[in-house]
Amino acid sequence: MKTLEELHTIRQEKRKELELRINTKADTREKHILVCHGTGCTSSKSPEILENFKRILKEKKIEKVRVIKTGCFGLCAKGPIVIIRPEDTFYAMVTPEDCEEIIQTHIVEGNKVERLLCKDIDGTIVNRLEELNFYKKQKRIALKNCGVINPEEIDEYIAFDGYTALEKCLTTLTPEEVIAIITKSGLRGRGGAGFPTGKKWELTKASEGKEKYVVCNADEGDPGAFMDRSILEGDPHSVIEAMAIAGFCIGANKGYIYVRAEYPIAVKRLEIAIKQAREYGILGKNIGGTGFTFDVEIRLGAGAFVCGEETALLESIEGRRGQPRVKPPYPAQSGLWGKPTLINNVETYSNIAQIILKGADWYSSIGTKNSKGTKVFALGGNVNNIGLVEVPMGTTLREIVYDIGGGIPNGREFKAAQTGGPSGGCIPKEHLDTPIDYESLKEIGSMMGSGGLIVMDDTKCMVSLAKFYLEFTVSESCGKCTPCRIGTKRMLEILEKLCNAEGSELDIYKLEKLAVNIQKASICGLGQSAPNPVISTLKYFREEFREHATNKECRALECKAMSKITIHEEKCKGCGLCQRHCPVNAIEGEAREKRTINQDKCIKCGTCLTSCPFKAIG
């Protein structure tokens, strides 16, 4: 077991060794090759890249060069990513075969490998990570250590002030003082509802009971969301430290991290982190000789979306089917095994230590009046810079999509962005300058959610999009309450009729009525928010619904039952590319003549759309 003095020594010595990770002017002759080991880069052979670097350095007997596995750097579109410090050189889309050249050219000869240097959206070659537009408007708090430390080495976390906040709480602050700091900071739950974190901690502390629990909700189920997963993969100790602080505040000695089994890398790194924390005496009995006892266990979820709802999550931890409980009582009064329980999600916990160390005033100075701090988003869909971003609350959607995300690929137009996943809503282009915070999103019919942000271009059908999200919620409904179990199914059937050219104006009316009733009558957040994508698309894209219902037309040509693909005679150049690519020979015409489409043969596959270089088909 490490004493507090021993932890101080580790922090000081290791920090000197790792100074070059954050200080590019560090006075050191050692180099660190950082290789991203997040899920995205791992799937693109980053483990093989890391092993190749180690092998080549050993074979060439090169010293004072360390190869480090890290968490996600954020810019997933450029993975696998390799950063060399202290130069801060950013290599993108590296392959295992590139390792030899990087070692020889960069490490041995001192020259950069030009062909692997990252390029910005405008084609500018980026020599250093900080030069990328992707990072310029970001502020990393929750992601502060991701891409910097090796998540499987507790000493590296300690070197960057890890567990200092826990020590401060245990030795110099009372539980009431810690809760006051969290409350004053303005931190709100990042799981979607935005409930004040300090208030939740205060309510749980005030609940009667000798036995209490701290729970981390890491059941991230929104399609396209990977914020919590990336934090667990890149900085697992930040969550463990925050849970211990929460345990100290509310009077709990036990914590559970509920994480879905589909996150094998996150689970593995959590297991390593918990084992290391126990070996150092940071978890267990009499932590640091302060008399405080706290330990953490992992519970694996089977991938049910409904288990992201806090009471369904508790049911699952207890070994029962994941179904929501009727509230009240709330978990703060009666949660896990009937005991008072504090539940926050991964991102919420990852802010705690920084708030304790830097103060409530520092944190509350970031963001907007009622939405403090930063928010992590998984930016995906039709955007150039797909990846993980963390921005101050109040950053506009336009800034995220165009300045950070690099805009829409292939010169297409922005049509909408979906925030909050199946629980959220669509934001159309007229609201591109809306600040991203809890209140502003609510005003326009959307919500923050856990942080998924899917961008859509003008080729997307909004009726089909609403159908996609309803398909998801119907399949994920636990079936406990009738409005969600049956109501969402009826909504889906109406959307299917509309997409199959079988709907009517009356169906649109029924759709709206069902949505309102399901929102009001469902037991849990899944059912209450399931109609949101439909309500928001109807609000901003009602004309598309009407076209599906009355004209039997889909302007995006996505709903095949009503799509009619035609060749615009004035734009056709007679090149014949569409005819050569058509899989069913539906395109007719002779060489150098304008082509036409035989509608009886056309299967509406869209191959001709993508093959035409003159955009003559639509």
Side-chain angles (χ1 to χ4, degrees), residues 227-288:
M227 304 78 58
D228 290 353
R229 184 194 73 198
S230 296
I231 293 172
L232 293 177
E233 290 176 353
D235 195 15
H237 285 284
S238 67
V239 175
I240 295 170
E241 181 175 15
M243 291 179 70
I245 292 171
F248 167 72
C249 289
I250 70 167
N253 302 121
K254 188 74 174 181
Y256 292 93
I257 302 176
Y258 185 88
V259 58
R260 50 181 48 217
E262 292 100 320
Y263 287 178
I265 298 175
V267 172
K268 176 188 174 185
R269 290 182 185 161
L270 275 172
E271 290 172 342
I272 292 171
I274 291 171
K275 181 175 182 289
Q276 291 174 340
R278 286 174 181 160
E279 290 173 350
Y280 273 45
I282 294 168
L283 289 178
K285 295 181 179 180
N286 192 25
I287 296 172

Side-chain angles (χ1 to χ4, degrees), residues 26-50:
D27 184 16
T28 176
R29 294 183 180 180
E30 185 176 68
K31 293 185 186 294
H32 287 190
I33 301 176
L34 309 181
V35 182
C36 177
H37 261 52
T39 293
C41 288
T42 296
S43 67
S44 300
K45 299 184 178 180
S46 69
E48 188 177 339
I49 292 170
L50 184 137

